[in-house]
Amino acid sequence: MTFEEFRELALHPLYIEQESVYRVDVHCYGKSSVEGETTVSRFEVRRAQSFVFPDLNYAQEKLNKIIKEETLKDKLYAVYIYQLPTGKDISNDRYQRLWVYDRLGNLNGQSLCSTIVEDLDQPSAKFRGHEANSIRFKQGEIIEVYDRENDKVRLASIVRQPFTIEQCWEERRLAEVSCIVEGLGIEATDSNYCLYADCDCYEVINGPDYYVDRLNPRTYDVFAPTHPIPPDISQLFEGYYRVAMESIDKMNENRQKMMDKIHRLVDLL
């Protein structure tokens, strides 16, 4: 496979043609959030409604109605649209495709590969990275992370962006070298290239301890701040970011020292 072929698969995954339904999930502020009983840095959001439609057009029409719905005007946080193949395991919010929209109806992010267990041996299950200029948030930016499992949104600082197509290509090249060394042959490369949907994430920090307070949210669960961030909170999270980067630099320095020792030992053999 050439890089251009890999890039084409990254930009246009070969999803399996299969009968599907489309689920529209409406996520709204929790009661305490609406009443202001929380802070800018942490508040409650939960799935409030869920609808199923026979095709994507109907689902998108529902999205447009939700955005214009007066009763949701001050409550809506996000809308998630799932493509769900019929007859396959969709437990734990698995999907073939997923589109996420913010409260204004703007596309916040979308999946780049399937998470359906039965499809994991298909090309559409492999994560091949983002175009570098399409990555929305940069290192050091303060964002909101929606923890859907615990119905919480909290502020965090971006420590690492998701992989680019070029970075994923390097991972594939490493898999190719490993296959050659282990005698499996180049043809086994794609089977041994093991980046999946859970690799499509940011690394963020939301506390003073990098080793305890870092998170890896999916790219589509990361949102721009809903409200202006007060200067004191902004300074707090900028401090978290600086401490995290110092820890990362130290880790990289120690790793390099270890590699240098290994190379010296190899030279002595």
Side-chain angles (χ1 to χ4, degrees), residues 14-32:
L14 298 176
Y15 291 105
I16 302 171
E17 292 289 338
Q18 50 192 331
E19 183 179 349
S20 300
V21 295
Y22 294 81
R23 192 180 82 215
V24 179
D25 286 355
V26 184
H27 295 256
C28 295
Y29 293 102
K31 184 177 180 181
S32 62

Side-chain angles (χ1 to χ4, degrees), residues 28 42 77 104 117 127 140 153 158 171 181 203 205-206 211 213 219-220 225 255 265:
C28 295
R42 185 183 179 92
Y77 183 77
L104 301 177
V117 173
F127 171 60
V153 172
I158 300 289
E171 291 296 318
V181 170
E203 183 176 299
I205 186 80
N206 71 340
Y211 299 98
D213 299 314
T219 53
Y220 45 71
R255 185 180 297 115
L265 287 172

Side-chain angles (χ1 to χ4, degrees), residues 64-101:
N64 294 331
K65 291 178 181 178
I66 291 168
I67 299 303
K68 297 174 183 177
E69 178 61 57
E70 279 297 319
T71 61
L72 294 175
K73 184 176 180 181
D74 297 323
K75 300 178 181 178
L76 184 64
Y77 183 77
V79 178
Y80 286 62
I81 299 180
Y82 296 80
Q83 180 184 356
L84 306 174
T86 59
K88 290 191 173 181
D89 182 8
I90 57 169
S91 60
N92 300 314
D93 277 340
R94 296 186 182 278
Y95 52 79
Q96 178 165 339
R97 300 187 71 181
L98 170 62
W99 300 265
V100 179
Y101 298 86

Side-chain angles (χ1 to χ4, degrees), residues 48-189:
Q49 298 175 315
S50 192
F51 306 89
V52 176
F53 297 95
D55 64 44
L56 184 57
N57 288 332
Y58 281 113
Q60 290 174 331
E61 287 176 10
K62 183 62 177 177
L63 167 68
N64 294 331
K65 291 178 181 178
I66 291 168
I67 299 303
K68 297 174 183 177
E69 178 61 57
E70 279 297 319
T71 61
L72 294 175
K73 184 176 180 181
D74 297 323
K75 300 178 181 178
L76 184 64
Y77 183 77
V79 178
Y80 286 62
I81 299 180
Y82 296 80
Q83 180 184 356
L84 306 174
T86 59
K88 290 191 173 181
D89 182 8
I90 57 169
S91 60
N92 300 314
D93 277 340
R94 296 186 182 278
Y95 52 79
Q96 178 165 339
R97 300 187 71 181
L98 170 62
W99 300 265
V100 179
Y101 298 86
D102 66 17
R103 65 190 184 283
L104 301 177
N106 301 313
L107 184 65
N108 188 69
Q110 66 184 78
S111 63
L112 297 179
C113 46
S114 173
T115 65
I116 301 295
V117 173
E118 295 96 320
D119 297 347
L120 290 183
D121 61 344
Q122 300 295 321
S124 59
K126 299 297 179 73
F127 171 60
R128 297 181 178 84
H130 297 258
E131 287 264 53
N133 60 9
S134 73
I135 297 175
R136 186 176 177 189
F137 300 108
K138 311 303 180 186
Q139 280 186 308
E141 283 193 65
I142 301 174
I143 46 75
E144 290 179 356
V145 175
Y146 182 15
D147 178 358
R148 289 178 286 138
E149 184 175 342
N150 294 300
D151 299 332
K152 298 292 182 184
V153 172
R154 46 192 167 181
L155 290 182
S157 293
I158 300 289
V159 173
R160 181 182 62 79
Q161 294 177 298
F163 287 159
T164 63
I165 296 174
E166 288 77 10
Q167 287 171 320
C168 288
W169 172 250
E170 287 303 313
E171 291 296 318
R172 186 186 182 278
R173 290 182 63 188
L174 289 174
E176 182 178 270
V177 170
S178 295
C179 287
I180 294 172
V181 170
E182 294 173 13
L184 300 175
I186 292 178
E187 61 275 8
T189 299

